[in-house]
Amino acid sequence: MTASVDDLAAPAPAVSDGELATAARTNLWPHFSRLSTYRDHDVPMIVKGEGAYVFDDKGNRYLDGLSGLFTVQAGHGRKELAQAAATQAETLAFFPLWSYAHPQAARLAERLAAETPGDLNRVFFTTGGGEAVETAWKLARHYFKTVGKPMKHKAISRAIAYHGTTMGALSITGIPEAKQMYEPLVPSAIKVPNTNFYRAPYFADDEERFGRWAADEIEAAILAEGPETVAVVFLEPVQNAGGCFPPPPGYWQRVREICDTYDVLLVSDEVICAFGRLGELFACNRYDYVPDMITCAKGMTSGYAPIGAMIASDRIVEPFLTGTESFAHGFTFGGHPVSAAVANANLDLFQREDLCGRVRENEKLFRTKLDTLLDLPIVGDVRGAGYFYGIELVKDKATKETFDDDEAERLLRGFLSGELFRSGLYCRADDRGDPVVQLAPPLICGEPEFDEIVGVLHDVLSRASAQL
Ligand SMILES: Cc1ncc(COP(=O)(O)O)c(C=O)c1O
């Protein structure tokens, strides 16, 4: 028997709040989430954003302390970004960058290249950060094959660092729990220590020497693997997972030196750190180093449309400029015209409102206010830069003893995540390393929002302390 059109039709879309809640619980698969959590609870439904705030379907307001997911730099509800998307969709909704260009991508590539340091002049657009990382590793391999070093293929990255979920990017990621169910992964992804100075295994009283040690561990890994096999090092300017590990003084300069010595490419993974998060459009400018590639995404459009990019130096592009060599890589939606138009409008907005300058001006105030949380027994460390901070929670402040798995589960999932949200603050309680609360508010925030964030955290973390 053949099916009628009616048989094949999808169920009518849910319309009422109740139906939407049911659809979210039964048809939607939320990312990085336990579905069991939503057996007895609705999935929080966010319906609207305005400035630094988002609103749920019950009318509750939340301060967006994480800029969605480190993306909404310019804040919610910016009409000029929505308008840029609408105008572009009317003019040219879609055309691929496969052997063609469109004006928004060309303009955006030129503007990004103008902001990068050194000779990083060539922009390869993707739809997000993981694809940018994937692109950088593939390009590193391809580059070395074209210059007669075909053995160079390995990637080095840091413990607990997150670089995305596609198989290549996941292999570069240094979070064992995020990887084990997907083994075997892409071989040849080597891990080195990160720059968690709070838990420095050596030189715990001298940040610069600690940084030198951590950078030298990259050299040790290159030598152990054989420099002729190592293609690329992936590092974030400030590492996110684990709770905002800034680079110790001199760290990046030493890493650059090591990469030059062994002809290893250096990727600055700025998927979170670019676009003002650390007070510069590209964070490598803050720490004064020139990578060979930058990967970026998220804040490029302030989250109003998806886009990412891998930006490469002239040296890497050189073998592709003549003859028949071509980078056999791409994505249908990479550099989508609507996303590129929004990114251009977002860069205009950054200029007009000097969002990077605003972060530089306010970061000390934000930090000073967050540091008051160190009075609480549960707060072991406050670290980060710009509008990007991690607050590490400890069981015993004097010994820095952390929580065991059960305790972390009860503290983070059983108490903090829900309590912070109920108190009107959306942020992230995370235990991919030691337990931390992570903050990355929109760059439009200032003192009133800092006070609100610290007020909620003080209250909720005090109550968490009392339960210890
Ligand atoms: C440093 C870094 N690299 C890569 C990614 C992956 O980006 P996406 O989720 O857009 O694929 C992320 C995501 O948070 C990230 O923080």
Side-chain angles (χ1 to χ4, degrees), residues 32 69-70 127-133 161-166 169 173 235-241 269-273 295-298 307-308 428 432:
F32 281 106
L69 201 54
F70 313 96
T127 69
E131 284 178 5
V133 168
Y162 180 81
H163 293 282
T165 51
T166 55
T173 289
L235 306 174
E236 290 165 88
V238 171
Q239 179 174 321
N240 173 45
D269 184 357
E270 307 204 4
V271 169
I272 287 179
C273 293
T295 47
C296 57
K298 293 188 186 274
I307 196 167
R428 183 193 252 181
R432 288 178 296 181

Side-chain angles (χ1 to χ4, degrees), residues 408-461:
E409 171 78 21
R410 278 200 303 277
L411 175 68
L412 295 186
R413 290 179 195 80
F415 181 74
L416 277 182
S417 295
E419 233 13 66
L420 288 167
F421 194 60
R422 273 188 289 280
S423 305
L425 177 62
Y426 165 72
C427 61
R428 183 193 252 181
D430 189 16
D431 60 354
R432 288 178 296 181
D434 296 307
V436 288
V437 174
Q438 282 181 300
L439 294 168
L443 312 186
I444 53 165
C445 288
E447 188 161 10
E449 291 82 14
F450 300 157
D451 285 337
E452 194 176 332
I453 289 171
V454 173
V456 171
L457 283 173
H458 196 280
D459 168 50
V460 174
L461 292 176

Side-chain angles (χ1 to χ4, degrees), residues 184-195:
L185 294 174
V186 181
S188 314
I190 318 301
K191 301 297 169 289
V192 293
N194 58 43
T195 58

